[in-house]
Amino acid sequence: MKKLIIGAIAALYSLSATAQTGYTIKGQIGKLGKPAKAFLLTKIDGKQILDSVPLVNGSFTFKGKVSSPIEAIVRLKHDDAIEIPGKRINVDGVSLILDNENITITGKDSLKTAVVKGSAQTEESRRVDDLLRPLYNKLQALNKEYQDMPEAKKQDKAVIQDLEKRANAIEKEIVDAKISYVKNNPDSFMSLMALNSTLAPGFDAVEMEKVYLAINPKLRDSYFGKEVGLRIATFKKTQEGVEAQDFAQPDVDGKMVKLSDYRGKYVLVDFWASWCAPCRRENPNLVKVYEQYKSKGFEILGVSLDKAADKAKWIKAIADDKLTWKQVGDLKGWENEAAARYEVKAIPMNFLIDPSGKIIAKELRGPALESKIKEIFDGRAK
């Protein structure tokens, strides 16, 4: 069954202008001293930064400066035991939204139970997390409902479909709540955090771009803001409904072939390679569908991720697998320019493009490809 619980996201806080030139984090954890040590882990401009200081009579201090609020973790190591890779250890820490503020962390003997004050960003994130908690609780209750079911019910497709439907509805409530916050708080740095947490696989990049562009330009220009914008722009390039990017590459004889040459037809752009076993296993399915629908106007354009040194293997694979449609490739392997444009990170990968040049489906394999092409041509014929 699909996992019903979404990991809670540190949520929604406002960006406040402050005259302070940097941050100060002062901690007091009982009377701990050597060998206890505190660590501050941050990610600034894409780089992980780890700072550490020893505890003196329970006290530690971190100072620095950030250009905009960032997520941070303060962690406490109570002894000088060596951490062994792969061995699970108990982590004593607290998460913060770090801005240029004076922050205090006070606890009896642990960061986990310590009280954090002075961080307006952290306080707001926890407040809004409390607002979202009822929705997350719904998912937890649904998950428990599944866990408590007798095994027979867990195998009942109708029961599972009902649970999936209810889970999807709750997940939509969570996304809607976050997007509503973003729209109502365009000057909040947490709007970026909230928006970013909704960018799950299959998100609507066209709509999310509209939401993103309504956020304060200064926030969008921050490092994290640019990261969120890039995620949306990257996904949008290959989203269903957008115009496919044109490209031109040489075929096996060196003749240049453009994707736009196929305008007016349904064409499946298939990224593969002679060395790719899953691709080779999928090729018979492509052959079957192509032979059945090529007379109706269906085309395939193969794009190889082979290297120049493997051109002979590429040509042999075309012959061995009986691929009778046009094959192209710049023979740059994973650096293939068309693959880069289409954000291809794994193969086989394909994109189905309609006669107007728009992407209408992607990642179609086996029965899914046959069903989609049948829907297009046989359905249209009726």
Side-chain angles (χ1 to χ4, degrees), residues 8 26 96 165 212 216 291 340:
K26 290 188 175 182
L96 303 172
K165 182 178 180 180
Y212 172 75
N216 188 313
E291 290 300 319

PDB file of all heavy atoms in Angstrom, residues 8 26 96 165 212 216 291 340:
ATOM      1  N   ALA A   8       6.470  15.201   8.389  1.00  0.00           N
ATOM      2  CA  ALA A   8       6.112  16.582   8.718  1.00  0.00           C
ATOM      3  C   ALA A   8       7.178  17.542   8.242  1.00  0.00           C
ATOM      4  O   ALA A   8       8.357  17.273   8.347  1.00  0.00           O
ATOM      5  CB  ALA A   8       5.919  16.723  10.222  1.00  0.00           C
ATOM      6  N   LYS A  26      23.316  31.435  22.096  1.00  0.00           N
ATOM      7  CA  LYS A  26      23.891  31.139  23.402  1.00  0.00           C
ATOM      8  C   LYS A  26      23.148  29.972  24.028  1.00  0.00           C
ATOM      9  O   LYS A  26      21.915  30.003  24.158  1.00  0.00           O
ATOM     10  CB  LYS A  26      23.818  32.366  24.321  1.00  0.00           C
ATOM     11  CG  LYS A  26      24.765  33.480  23.902  1.00  0.00           C
ATOM     12  CD  LYS A  26      24.808  34.590  24.938  1.00  0.00           C
ATOM     13  CE  LYS A  26      25.853  35.638  24.575  1.00  0.00           C
ATOM     14  NZ  LYS A  26      25.957  36.701  25.599  1.00  0.00           N
ATOM     15  N   LEU A  96      16.537  24.613  14.096  1.00  0.00           N
ATOM     16  CA  LEU A  96      16.233  26.039  14.159  1.00  0.00           C
ATOM     17  C   LEU A  96      16.016  26.595  12.769  1.00  0.00           C
ATOM     18  O   LEU A  96      16.497  26.040  11.776  1.00  0.00           O
ATOM     19  CB  LEU A  96      17.389  26.823  14.786  1.00  0.00           C
ATOM     20  CG  LEU A  96      17.886  26.463  16.180  1.00  0.00           C
ATOM     21  CD1 LEU A  96      19.154  27.258  16.459  1.00  0.00           C
ATOM     22  CD2 LEU A  96      16.818  26.771  17.211  1.00  0.00           C
ATOM     23  N   LYS A 165      -7.704   6.608  -1.926  1.00  0.00           N
ATOM     24  CA  LYS A 165      -8.524   7.773  -2.285  1.00  0.00           C
ATOM     25  C   LYS A 165      -8.613   8.747  -1.125  1.00  0.00           C
ATOM     26  O   LYS A 165      -8.468   9.966  -1.297  1.00  0.00           O
ATOM     27  CB  LYS A 165      -9.923   7.304  -2.698  1.00  0.00           C
ATOM     28  CG  LYS A 165     -10.845   8.423  -3.135  1.00  0.00           C
ATOM     29  CD  LYS A 165     -12.194   7.874  -3.578  1.00  0.00           C
ATOM     30  CE  LYS A 165     -13.130   8.996  -4.009  1.00  0.00           C
ATOM     31  NZ  LYS A 165     -14.460   8.454  -4.436  1.00  0.00           N
ATOM     32  N   TYR A 212       5.018  30.867  -7.401  1.00  0.00           N
ATOM     33  CA  TYR A 212       6.396  31.269  -7.110  1.00  0.00           C
ATOM     34  C   TYR A 212       6.649  32.727  -7.508  1.00  0.00           C
ATOM     35  O   TYR A 212       7.260  33.495  -6.753  1.00  0.00           O
ATOM     36  CB  TYR A 212       7.357  30.340  -7.848  1.00  0.00           C
ATOM     37  CG  TYR A 212       8.806  30.758  -7.801  1.00  0.00           C
ATOM     38  CD1 TYR A 212       9.571  30.581  -6.650  1.00  0.00           C
ATOM     39  CD2 TYR A 212       9.421  31.316  -8.916  1.00  0.00           C
ATOM     40  CE1 TYR A 212      10.906  30.961  -6.605  1.00  0.00           C
ATOM     41  CE2 TYR A 212      10.753  31.694  -8.889  1.00  0.00           C
ATOM     42  CZ  TYR A 212      11.490  31.515  -7.724  1.00  0.00           C
ATOM     43  OH  TYR A 212      12.805  31.901  -7.692  1.00  0.00           O
ATOM     44  N   ASN A 216       7.781  37.686  -3.042  1.00  0.00           N
ATOM     45  CA  ASN A 216       8.649  38.858  -3.062  1.00  0.00           C
ATOM     46  C   ASN A 216       9.926  38.585  -3.873  1.00  0.00           C
ATOM     47  O   ASN A 216      10.631  37.621  -3.609  1.00  0.00           O
ATOM     48  CB  ASN A 216       9.017  39.212  -1.616  1.00  0.00           C
ATOM     49  CG  ASN A 216       9.761  40.535  -1.506  1.00  0.00           C
ATOM     50  OD1 ASN A 216      10.697  40.786  -2.247  1.00  0.00           O
ATOM     51  ND2 ASN A 216       9.339  41.353  -0.563  1.00  0.00           N
ATOM     52  N   GLU A 291       5.038  -1.280 -35.228  1.00  0.00           N
ATOM     53  CA  GLU A 291       4.538  -2.040 -36.374  1.00  0.00           C
ATOM     54  C   GLU A 291       3.022  -1.954 -36.477  1.00  0.00           C
ATOM     55  O   GLU A 291       2.463  -1.936 -37.571  1.00  0.00           O
ATOM     56  CB  GLU A 291       4.972  -3.508 -36.263  1.00  0.00           C
ATOM     57  CG  GLU A 291       6.457  -3.725 -36.479  1.00  0.00           C
ATOM     58  CD  GLU A 291       6.924  -3.266 -37.845  1.00  0.00           C
ATOM     59  OE1 GLU A 291       6.193  -3.517 -38.836  1.00  0.00           O
ATOM     60  OE2 GLU A 291       7.990  -2.644 -37.937  1.00  0.00           O
ATOM     61  N   ALA A 340      20.204  16.278 -22.101  1.00  0.00           N
ATOM     62  CA  ALA A 340      20.354  17.361 -21.129  1.00  0.00           C
ATOM     63  C   ALA A 340      19.151  18.296 -21.167  1.00  0.00           C
ATOM     64  O   ALA A 340      18.640  18.724 -20.127  1.00  0.00           O
ATOM     65  CB  ALA A 340      21.635  18.144 -21.403  1.00  0.00           C
TER      66      ALA A 340
END
